[in-house]
Amino acid sequence: MTSSDYWDAEMARRYDEGSAAMFAPEVLEPVVDTLAELAGDGAALEFAIGTGRVGIPLLERGVRVHGIELSQPMVDQLREKVDATHLPVTTGDMATTVVDGEFSLVYLVFNSIGNLRTQEEQVTCFRNAARHLAPGGRFVIELWVPGIRRMPPGQNAVPFNVDDRHLGFDTYDVVTQQGTSHHYFRNDDGSVGYGASNFRYIWPAECDLMAQLAGLEFESRAADWHGTPFMADSESHVSVWRKPVDAALPQTERPQRP
Ligand SMILES: C[S@@+](CC[C@H](N)C(=O)[O-])C[C@H]1O[C@@H](n2cnc3c(N)ncnc32)[C@H](O)[C@@H]1O
């Protein structure tokens, strides 16, 4: 059982078109470059692989990729592009689903850790990433920094897109760290559609603590896939944690860390 919203067939059908900007080569290429370099000669596991936006070009770059995805309709969309022999996907919850094999890279992009809406599940997800990693392997997360500094006292909503086709805004509950993204779309016939998705927001420091609980060591944090330094006003981060190289040794044989 997961707290995540389920992405249904209609959401899956609209996903690639609705996220077209995220498929643009100038957006995707630095993501794939970075992930391919981190995977090296090993295999990669994508949590919440969706319709294969990142997994498929990474596969085309020569990296063996396996996916975990909760939504069967999203997997069905992916299957229109690539078969299971080339890109196997296990349907299930990324916090708990275990697949065969050992990976040099586990990655979870496009803010998708937030789909798990409890702290406990998010910690379990970090632990699940760690269990799939070979010693020395890396877990990478791409996540936005919660936009709550943009809210004056008494306000609970922040717009993230306003144009004549789409109005999108997030509402936040700063007590529970729960949020909802609201989308109003104007259709060609003038009618208006509405969709919403729920998330639990986390700060980079909370991610680091989750990684630590999972036995991973902090390696790097940038503001984006180009390696721009992460600063006070950065709106997103790409963070990398590493499973210790000596993680395969029994506890008693590992060098002591301060
Ligand atoms: C924003 S999409 C990202 C898809 C893909 N990684 C990409 O970058 O385009 C979020 C995905 O997370 C999936 N998802 C949500 N909760 C999940 C969970 N608990 N376990 C696995 N997948 C989940 C959704 O079904 C959806 O496909």
Side-chain angles (χ1 to χ4, degrees), residues 2-8 11 15-16 19 22-23 28 46-55 68-72 74-75 90-97 107-117 121 125 142:
T2 174
S3 63
S4 291
D5 291 339
Y6 190 77
W7 292 45
D8 63 18
M11 291 166 79
Y15 182 78
D16 287 11
S19 313
M22 295 297 283
F23 284 80
L28 215 37
E46 179 168 357
F47 282 177
I49 191 169
T51 64
R53 182 182 67 91
V54 175
I68 293 177
E69 169 57 48
L70 186 66
S71 158
Q72 186 58 46
M74 292 294 274
V75 180
T90 305
T91 307
D93 178 9
M94 60 188 164
T96 53
T97 300
Y107 64 96
L108 175 54
V109 295
F110 204 176
N111 309 319
S112 304
I113 182 83
N115 287 297
L116 297 167
R117 289 160 59 203
E121 286 173 295
C125 183
E142 175 193 30

Side-chain angles (χ1 to χ4, degrees), residues 130-138 215-217 241-247:
R131 78 182 295 164
H132 285 94
L133 286 173
R138 290 167 171 102
L216 300 173
E217 295 175 344
W241 300 273
R242 196 163 191 205
K243 186 162 178 169
V245 177
D246 58 17

Side-chain angles (χ1 to χ4, degrees), residues 117-169:
R117 289 160 59 203
T118 68
Q119 187 183 57
E120 188 182 355
E121 286 173 295
Q122 290 175 338
V123 170
T124 308
C125 183
F126 271 77
R127 290 200 162 112
N128 201 28
R131 78 182 295 164
H132 285 94
L133 286 173
R138 290 167 171 102
F139 182 38
V140 178
I141 273 194
E142 175 193 30
L143 182 61
W144 54 289
V145 176
I148 61 178
R149 285 171 62 202
R150 293 171 58 201
M151 290 190 302
Q155 189 176 310
N156 74 337
V158 175
F160 56 81
N161 188 57
V162 180
D163 62 38
D164 60 353
R165 304 288 296 188
H166 176 224
L167 165 62
F169 60 91

